Amino acid sequence: LTTMFHYPSAGYIGALAEKLLEQLNISPNIRISRNSVKAVTLSQGIFSVVLSDGSVSETPHLVWGIDLANLMSAAACGAQRHSNHKLKKTTASFCFLTVDRAKINVDFSSLFIPDPLRLIYRVSNLSDAGNTGESIARLVVECSPHFIPADGLSNISMAERVVDELLKFGVVSDPGAIRVHGVSVIPNIMPVPNKVDHEISWESHN
């Protein structure tokens, strides 16, 4: 079994989103609206989507990327527990770094650290994966969500701990070679697999 991973040649995953947005903005077949969905109805195979500004879009195909509870509420259908249910989700935390490539001790595109005592869960070397040939490596560090308390681990503390763990793992030996560009904590973004969510998802689908 061979699994192929594709990375933007620009060396950062955001390049993909930038290119997609560029194509969406110039496409004559796509309209982008930032209004929320108020109602969804289906009649004779055609979906009517009513937005908060009162406008209506009609389409024979509907793709829904938000919680099922939002769709159940907008469509005014399904059992009560469907429309009231919120999927169980966890926080995603990222640290964005650049490192002098010559100071990296391990050649890698992705490193996984399945250790509950460590903050770092995964490190992605986007420059290496994209084969950019840059003198620096752009690293994205994903942090284990159980380390983020309800009131949030400060960005400074998170960045300091990430750097410390990279040094302890032996990925980098020189702390001066590491530059932290930012930390991003996104609450309730990743679904957590569980029996109730699975059952309700299928019931809602049916």
Side-chain angles (χ1 to χ4, degrees), residues 3 13 27 30 32 36 38 50 53 58 75 79 86-87 104 121 153 155-156 167 178-179 202 204:
T3 302
I13 204 68
S27 172
I30 296 174
I32 299 176
S36 60
K38 303 301 291 184
V50 182
D53 65 350
E58 296 185 335
K86 294 294 184 181
L87 294 177
I104 295 180
Y121 162 69
L153 185 66
N155 289 1
I156 294 177
L167 295 171
I178 304 174
R179 182 179 179 187
W202 277 107
S204 302

Side-chain angles (χ1 to χ4, degrees), residues 18-33:
E18 292 171 358
K19 191 64 177 179
L20 285 173
L21 182 59
E22 176 186 313
Q23 294 299 311
L24 290 172
N25 284 328
I26 64 176
S27 172
N29 301 316
I30 296 174
R31 178 172 65 90
I32 299 176
S33 174

Side-chain angles (χ1 to χ4, degrees), residues 69-152:
N70 297 81
L71 178 57
M72 295 295 105
S73 176
C77 67
Q80 188 67 29
R81 78 172 189 141
H82 297 169
S83 57
N84 290 338
H85 184 70
K86 294 294 184 181
L87 294 177
K88 185 177 181 180
K89 295 183 178 181
T90 188
T91 297
S93 306
F94 305 92
C95 187
F96 304 96
L97 318 166
T98 53
V99 181
D100 183 345
R101 183 171 283 187
K103 300 294 181 66
I104 295 180
N105 301 324
V106 182
D107 290 329
F108 71 95
S109 57
S110 290
L111 291 176
F112 287 87
I113 300 92
D115 186 339
L117 300 180
R118 299 296 182 182
L119 174 64
I120 295 177
Y121 162 69
R122 176 167 54 190
V123 184
S124 299
N125 185 339
L126 300 183
S127 296
D128 182 77
N131 195 26
T132 63
E134 298 174 294
S135 61
I136 62 167
R138 304 172 192 269
L139 306 185
V140 177
V141 176
E142 298 171 60
C143 301
S144 297
H146 63 268
F147 272 96
I148 313 302
D151 56 351

Side-chain angles (χ1 to χ4, degrees), residues 166-187:
L166 288 176
L167 295 171
K168 288 180 178 177
F169 295 156
V171 176
V172 185
S173 299
D174 180 7
I178 304 174
R179 182 179 179 187
V180 179
H181 293 273
V183 172
S184 180
V185 178
I186 309 173

Side-chain angles (χ1 to χ4, degrees), residues 41-48 58-61:
T41 59
L42 176 63
S43 177
Q44 298 181 342
I46 300 296
F47 291 97
S48 295
E58 296 185 335
T59 175
H61 303 288

